[in-house]
Amino acid sequence: MTRSITLATIQFSPSDDVQANIDRVAGFVEQAAGRGADVVLPPELFCGYYFCKTQEEEHFARALPWETHPAVVQLTEIAKKFDVVIPVSIYEKDGPAYYNSLVMLDADGAALGVYRKSHIPDGPGYQEKFYFRPGNTGFRVWDTKKGKIGVGICWDQWFPEAARAMALMGADVLLYPTAIGAEPQDACLDTAARWRRAMLGHAVSNVIPVCAANRVGDEQGQAFYGTSFISDQTGEVVAEMDRAKEGVIVATFDLDMIDRERAAWGFFRDRRPDLYGSLL
């Protein structure tokens, strides 16, 4: 029997109401499931406004332990109801430590664990180092009921070694929840195209489908440019959103065919070991 996977990406404009945002994601998941989705990817930190554009102590109150986070608890039931995998992006508090994290919910509602964002940006409008410490989980690939899924979070998407590490760990697909848009230091700088090209490179050099979910709309003067997409293993964009609309896009992939194609290209066969003899 041929293995296949149907990926869905959610693009929307969150309010700063946690419950309203969870409800909206649940609604989009239902739409995606109705279109045959196996995996449904919401954007990064979708529970509220993107708060990292400035350094304000009050925002630490947004963080909660992942096991009891309302987005995780409520979307667990949604994942189970619709038989879909949902990677849930949250602001996590673990004792005195704060992380930009993702909890992988399997299609039966089981929480498979947490990934903590490895690469933390720090610049105008994206001052994340004030709020998050670098993750301590390493890159992760989850063996879900729908396939082996690797997930990076936003800034991780710019680093080819992260994508390669997850591919070497056996990922069938790579997913990237994101919050990216205007660059406040330069109104003429638009990074949307290069943001996409970076991830399309991951698809090409690892022969793997890539799915990216971004926010859209204006959040207290900070505009997010959407353009969420799904690409195939050749880097061809097969589904995409524009800079304004909210909604869901869906694409299906033949994983057995892609696995054969990956083997034929020889990217992993011809990897040279590092000085310590490791292929990782």
Side-chain angles (χ1 to χ4, degrees):
M1 182 177 178
T2 299
R3 292 188 310 132
S4 67
I5 193 168
T6 300
L7 304 178
T9 292
I10 296 170
Q11 177 170 292
F12 83 112
S13 181
S15 69
D16 211 33
D17 182 320
V18 174
Q19 188 58 56
N21 292 327
I22 295 171
D23 290 343
R24 293 206 68 201
V25 167
F28 285 124
V29 170
E30 182 174 6
Q31 289 181 35
R35 295 170 62 183
D38 296 307
V39 182
V40 186
L41 180 67
E44 180 188 22
L45 298 173
F46 63 80
C47 283
Y49 287 149
Y50 181 78
F51 55 88
C52 307
K53 62 183 180 180
T54 58
Q55 299 183 15
E56 308 292 343
E57 294 178 7
E58 65 191 55
H59 292 313
F60 287 107
R62 295 173 181 261
L64 297 167
W66 74 263
E67 298 91 340
T68 57
H69 195 288
V72 174
V73 172
Q74 294 177 50
L75 291 176
T76 290
E77 296 303 316
I78 298 299
K80 184 176 181 179
K81 178 179 180 180
F82 294 108
D83 189 35
V84 295
V85 176
I86 309 175
V88 181
S89 175
I90 62 167
Y91 188 14
E92 180 197 2
K93 177 175 170 57
D94 181 29
Y98 294 79
Y99 299 100
N100 186 335
S101 299
L102 181 137
V103 180
M104 182 63 74
L105 300 181
D106 208 346
D108 60 1
L112 300 183
V114 64
Y115 166 66
R116 292 166 175 160
K117 186 174 179 178
S118 299
H119 302 93
I120 311 298
D122 185 46
Y126 303 90
Q127 299 182 39
E128 295 193 11
K129 280 187 166 63
F130 182 72
Y131 297 103
F132 315 127
R133 68 168 60 183
N136 59 2
T137 61
F139 301 117
R140 298 199 61 182
V141 171
W142 284 275
D143 192 1
T144 76
K145 294 182 180 300
K146 303 295 186 175
K148 294 181 179 179
I149 299 173
V151 184
I153 301 173
C154 202
W155 191 232
D156 287 334
Q157 69 211 352
W158 297 93
F159 295 83
E161 59 271 27
R164 180 53 56 92
M166 290 186 283
L168 287 169
M169 292 165 68
D172 292 317
V173 297
L174 297 179
L175 311 181
Y176 294 98
T178 298
I180 188 168
E183 304 290 343
Q185 79 280 11
D186 184 355
C188 296
L189 178 60
D190 187 325
T191 60
R194 70 183 78 180
W195 168 78
R196 180 177 285 193
R197 283 195 295 265
M199 286 178 280
L200 297 182
H202 303 333
V204 172
S205 58
N206 293 288
V207 193
I208 196 167
V210 171
C211 179
N214 195 14
R215 310 156 86 91
V216 72
D218 188 295
E219 297 178 20
Q220 299 177 315
Q222 186 170 19
F224 292 88
Y225 53 57
T227 63
S228 303
F229 71 93
I230 304 172
S231 85
D232 69 12
Q233 73 280 4
T234 72
E236 187 74 23
V237 174
V238 296
E240 61 184 330
M241 298 286 284
D242 64 17
R243 289 175 177 252
K245 291 182 180 178
E246 299 181 315
V248 175
I249 51 174
V250 176
T252 301
F253 300 97
D254 181 335
L255 295 180
D256 288 333
M257 181 274 290
I258 293 172
D259 194 50
R260 291 192 300 272
E261 186 174 332
R262 186 181 302 115
W265 272 86
F267 292 144
F268 301 105
R269 177 197 66 209
D270 293 336
R271 275 182 54 81
R272 296 182 61 187
D274 62 26
L275 295 177
Y276 301 99
S278 170
L279 286 178
L280 296 176

